Amino acid sequence: MIKPSELPLAADGSLYHIHLTSDTLADKVLLVGDPDRVDMFKGIFDSVEHESRNRELHALTGRYHGTRMTALSTGMGCDNIDIVMTELDVAADGRPLQLVRIGTSGSLQEEIDCGSHVAAAYAIGMDGLMNYYKEWGETKSQRVEETKMEEAFNSQFSILNSQLPTRPYCVQGSRLLLDKIATGMHHGITATAPGFYGPQGRTVRLHPWIDNLNDKLAAFRYDGLPVTNLEMETSAIYGFSHLLGHDALTVCLIIANRPKGTFLNDYHEPMRQLVGTVVERLR
C-alpha cells in the first residue's frame, strides 16, 4: 500500500495533478506543453467525454473516427514530466499506453528550417532526471543500443560529461510509433535540456557554462543520425516509457533555427496541421 503522502489523490479520487483516472484515460495519449493547445483537440475529436484542468495540466478525452484518445498538457520541463508520466502510469492501471508528444523545438541543423517536422528516434538527456531512479541503472544491461549511444556520446564529448552537472543519458523512442507516425518527417536525435536559456546555450545577461554547446551537439552522429533539435521534455518521456512498458514518440514543429538565428513567431496554423496529422496517423 502506497501512503497518501507518496501518491496523493484529488478529492474526487483522480490522480492529484493530472486529474485523470483509469476510466477517463484512453490508451492513446497526446502530450502537448501548452494547456491552451489542448483546446485544438476539441475541433478535431468527434466527441468529448471528459475534460479537467489543474494548473498547467489540461486533460481532454474523446474519440476521433471511433478511436478513443486523451490529450494532456504537461507544462514545460522534465520536472513536470516526472509528475505526468508517474501519474499516467498509475491511471493506466497496467495498460500499455501509446504516447506522442507534439511540441515545439529549436533546430540545431542549418538545413532544418522553421516549419519543419522532426521525429525523435533517440533522445539525449542532459536533464539528469532518470538518474534519480534505481531502475534506470539496474536495466542498463537491457538497453544495449542506448548504452552504446551513451558511451559514444560521452566519449566524443568528454568535456560535456565533465562540465554538465549531471551525467547525460540516452534512450530510444518507440520504433512502432516512429514507423506509424513519422513518414515524411526528419528523423534524428533530440537533445533535452533542463532549461531554456543557459542550458540551451543562450546568453542574455548570464553566460552558459559550456561554450558553443549547440555546435558540439550538432556535430554528434549516431547510427547515421544527427542531433536535430533541442527541447525540454523528450528524454524523460522516453526514459519513463522504457521503464514502465509504454511506447513513446516525440514529434516537434521547428520554430527556431539556432544556426541561422531565425524564429517563427506565429506558428498556430502549422501546429494545428501537425496535430491533425499526428491524430490521423495514431488512430
Side-chain angles (χ1 to χ4, degrees):
M1 177 68 69
I2 302 176
K3 296 177 182 178
S5 61
E6 306 305 287
L7 183 65
L9 299 178
D12 62 0
S14 64
L15 274 300
Y16 182 75
H17 297 95
I18 64 174
H19 282 204
L20 288 167
T21 66
S22 180
D23 291 337
T24 56
L25 173 67
D27 293 345
K28 298 180 186 290
V29 183
L30 300 141
L31 300 174
V32 298
D34 183 355
D36 291 336
R37 195 175 300 156
V38 173
D39 288 328
M40 282 188 181
F41 293 90
K42 293 179 181 178
I44 295 174
F45 289 171
D46 302 316
S47 61
V48 173
E49 65 184 65
H50 170 83
E51 183 174 14
S52 59
R53 191 157 186 165
N54 178 37
R55 301 183 186 183
E56 65 266 59
L57 306 178
H58 183 186
L60 189 78
T61 297
R63 291 187 181 272
Y64 175 78
H65 292 190
T67 300
R68 192 165 182 254
M69 299 182 180
T70 295
L72 175 65
S73 62
T74 65
M76 293 184 288
C78 285
D79 49 350
N80 278 13
I81 297 302
D82 179 64
I83 295 170
V84 168
M85 290 297 296
T86 299
E87 295 191 5
L88 280 175
D89 181 70
V90 173
D93 195 23
R95 292 177 288 152
L97 301 176
Q98 291 187 344
L99 305 116
V100 183
R101 161 169 148 71
I102 310 171
T104 57
S105 184
S107 169
L108 296 179
Q109 303 294 333
E110 188 170 357
E111 67 274 14
I112 302 179
D113 285 324
C114 293
S116 300
H117 299 162
V118 173
Y122 294 89
I124 296 173
M126 299 186 296
D127 54 283
L129 178 60
M130 298 315 300
N131 296 320
Y132 281 87
Y133 287 92
K134 183 186 296 184
E135 288 82 358
W136 187 250
E138 291 176 343
T139 60
K140 183 175 181 178
S141 62
Q142 301 170 23
R143 294 181 282 108
V144 178
E145 199 63 34
E146 289 96 331
T147 299
K148 288 180 182 177
M149 179 179 170
E150 196 171 297
E151 290 172 350
F153 182 79
N154 288 319
S155 174
Q156 186 168 337
F157 295 107
S158 57
I159 186 171
L160 293 185
N161 194 32
S162 65
Q163 291 185 0
L164 286 173
T166 55
R167 181 178 174 85
Y169 62 93
C170 300
V171 59
Q172 189 173 21
S174 167
R175 292 195 176 186
L176 182 151
L177 291 178
L178 188 70
D179 292 341
K180 187 174 184 177
I181 290 172
T183 301
M185 301 179 183
H186 295 277
H187 293 193
I189 302 165
T190 291
T192 297
F196 183 80
Y197 288 101
Q200 293 191 31
R202 290 181 169 94
T203 298
V204 181
R205 288 185 65 195
L206 302 178
H207 296 79
W209 181 258
I210 301 172
D211 292 331
N212 302 315
L213 171 63
N214 293 350
D215 293 340
K216 293 179 172 72
L217 290 172
F220 180 69
R221 298 288 188 278
Y222 183 77
D223 197 25
L225 295 173
V227 179
T228 46
N229 58 315
L230 186 55
E231 48 87 86
M232 294 171 59
E233 289 85 21
T234 297
S235 60
I237 294 172
Y238 283 15
F240 277 106
S241 295
H242 178 87
L243 293 180
L244 298 171
H246 306 299
D247 281 293
L249 179 72
T250 286
V251 175
C252 280
L253 171 68
I254 297 300
I255 63 169
N257 184 291
R258 301 298 298 281
K260 292 182 179 179
T262 55
F263 185 78
L264 183 65
N265 283 292
D266 184 4
Y267 53 84
H268 178 82
E269 182 57 25
M271 176 55 73
R272 190 195 66 78
Q273 293 174 3
L274 178 58
V275 166
T277 296
V278 171
V279 170
E280 173 62 26
R281 293 179 180 181
L282 181 61
R283 73 183 178 94

